[in-house]
Amino acid sequence: MNPDVDIIVIGAGIAGASVASHLAITHQVLLLEMEDRPGYHSTGRSIATLEPNYGPAPIRALTRASRREFDQLLALAPRESLFLMPLGQQAAFDRLMAVQKGMREISPAEAKAKFPLLRSGYHTRTLLDPVTADIDVDLLLQTYLRKFRSSGGTLLCGQGAETIKLTAGQWTIVTKDHTFRTRIIVNAAGAWGGRVAALAGAGPVVLQPKRRSIAVISPPAGFDITNWPWIGDVAETWYCKPQSGKLLVSPADAAPVDPHDAYADDMALAEGIERFQQAVDFEVARVEHSWGGLRSFAPDGNPVAGYDNKLDGFFWLIGQGGYGIQTAPALSRLAAALVRREDAPVDILDEGLMLADLRPSRVV
């Protein structure tokens, strides 16, 4: 194994795998993953929904710019989304209306026809997004990894960076079994991005991992939920998505935590299920399964993508929040162009993305 490579990408989740697949076309790239398989943490625990009206402006632009690649990969299955406005959420409804594209208001009766469990009187207004979809996350991740390998890239799992040092413009990274040298590091370590930065002497960066909890429950007998929509309130205090014959219910929690192998928070799940039950006409008898995932945020909620202002060859690709899957096609193309010091892809900028909103200098 060659210890000297052009670029080392740290983290083989969707962010690292996708950008590495592009960079390997033009450079010799090593992809390092601390776990025993790619996508173990946030990527493997995503709710897997494409929602182009979800998130801050840069996220919405990146999501819209990603749609064509998702369609080409056949990685989407259409699933509408319903955003409900119960009492006290007018302000959240107005904020969503101010930024949305392609959504339309439907009546509570129409909403109930699409999601028959809805309790009459729970909400007064409903927004329908007709172009949302489920994402085949495994297909997406494996596609990027195949492209990476076919271009000559090398993936090493179970090899987290233990020391990172810059000397005379060259980075040395030591793992438990190897020592590598490179001119460029891409920090795509997700919730561990702050720790990787600290090893490299970058920052301090304000990156906060937050836990999201999911409960799996059975729907009432006699209902075919296959084509039911994703549904939630506009203030994001709960949401529900049908998947594989079950209902996934989340309190949309965002509890600040240290990077770890996340698990669901029982108290948060109980609160989320209670909010869900206020909206529906059936009682949740038991939770069949649950899991937790990490979503990592910069203070303004926007991703961080670009070279560090002080450390030569240290590139940031972190802080995707809960939007890493739905933005991966566009963000990876953009990040690869920036790593190569090329112009940003025009089609992404045409969606209204402002590169200044992603620059590391705003958080480092």
Side-chain angles (χ1 to χ4, degrees):
M1 185 181 300
N2 188 354
D4 297 295
V5 295
D6 298 328
I7 301 171
I8 295 178
V9 179
I10 300 178
I14 198 66
S18 57
V19 73
S21 74
H22 295 294
L23 291 172
I25 296 171
T26 55
H27 292 75
Q28 185 179 18
V29 181
L30 172 65
L31 181 57
L32 290 180
E33 170 56 46
M34 67 178 183
E35 301 294 352
D36 62 3
R37 66 181 186 273
Y40 176 76
H41 290 286
S42 297
T43 298
R45 309 179 196 191
S46 167
I47 200 70
T49 297
L50 182 82
E51 172 48 82
N53 288 297
Y54 186 48
I59 293 296
R60 299 195 303 273
L62 289 165
T63 302
R64 292 192 297 270
S66 295
R67 183 67 189 243
R68 182 174 64 178
E69 184 172 334
F70 278 124
D71 289 337
Q72 290 172 343
L73 291 175
L74 303 179
L76 300 179
R79 185 178 302 282
E80 295 178 328
S81 295
L82 298 181
F83 293 83
L84 312 178
M85 190 195 82
L87 185 66
Q89 295 190 10
Q90 182 69 54
F93 185 91
D94 293 342
R95 286 193 296 270
L96 180 56
M97 284 293 289
V99 301
Q100 63 83 22
K101 292 185 177 181
M103 301 177 81
R104 68 175 186 270
E105 189 166 0
I106 63 174
S107 69
E110 290 174 296
K112 186 174 178 63
K114 292 179 178 293
F115 197 94
L117 301 181
L118 270 179
R119 185 188 303 274
S120 297
Y122 167 74
H123 68 296
T124 57
R125 303 181 74 177
T126 309
L127 281 176
L128 168 70
D129 195 332
V131 300
T132 52
D134 295 343
I135 302 172
D136 188 332
V137 178
D138 186 62
L139 171 63
L140 188 66
L141 179 62
Q142 296 306 321
T143 297
Y144 286 131
L145 291 173
R146 282 195 300 272
K147 289 174 59 178
F148 174 67
R149 294 188 182 103
S150 68
S151 296
T154 300
L155 168 65
L156 283 183
C157 292
Q159 297 292 320
E162 295 182 355
T163 65
I164 304 175
K165 185 177 181 180
L166 177 63
T167 305
Q170 179 174 264
W171 290 98
T172 299
I173 297 181
V174 179
T175 72
K176 67 176 183 178
D177 298 319
H178 303 280
T179 298
F180 300 102
R181 293 175 293 273
T182 186
R183 294 286 180 179
I184 298 173
I185 291 175
V186 177
N187 178 10
W192 283 260
R195 292 187 178 178
V196 168
L199 285 175
V205 62
V206 182
L207 179 72
Q208 180 59 65
K210 297 183 179 181
R211 180 172 51 208
R212 173 61 50 95
S213 303
I214 303 289
V216 181
I217 63 175
S218 291
F223 288 94
D224 180 2
I225 68 171
T226 305
N227 296 316
W228 285 12
W230 179 102
I231 190 167
D233 65 344
V234 292
E236 298 184 48
T237 69
W238 67 272
Y239 59 79
C240 171
K241 176 187 174 180
Q243 182 170 296
S244 303
K246 304 293 183 180
L247 294 175
L248 308 184
V249 179
S250 175
D253 51 326
V257 294
D258 292 330
H260 69 292
D261 191 354
Y263 52 88
D265 180 83
D266 290 341
M267 183 63 70
L269 284 183
E271 293 173 353
I273 290 172
E274 174 59 27
R275 295 172 196 144
F276 171 66
Q277 289 192 143
Q278 292 173 10
V280 297
D281 271 326
F282 88 101
E283 183 176 352
V284 177
R286 69 185 183 93
V287 173
E288 297 185 5
H289 178 57
S290 65
W291 80 83
L294 298 181
R295 306 154 73 244
S296 300
F297 295 84
D300 58 6
N302 295 332
V304 183
Y307 278 107
D308 191 272
N309 287 345
K310 299 177 181 178
L311 290 179
D312 185 36
F314 189 87
F315 190 94
W316 297 87
L317 185 57
I318 60 171
Q320 291 87 346
Y323 319 104
I325 305 297
Q326 69 178 35
T327 60
L331 184 55
S332 62
R333 285 195 295 122
L334 172 63
L338 297 178
V339 169
R340 298 186 187 112
R341 302 188 187 278
E342 299 171 347
D343 292 337
V346 173
D347 66 298
I348 299 177
L349 299 182
D350 285 347
E351 293 293 346
L353 180 71
M354 304 295 292
L355 292 180
D357 290 334
L358 308 185
R359 286 175 183 158
S361 57
R362 70 184 209 279
V363 297
V364 179

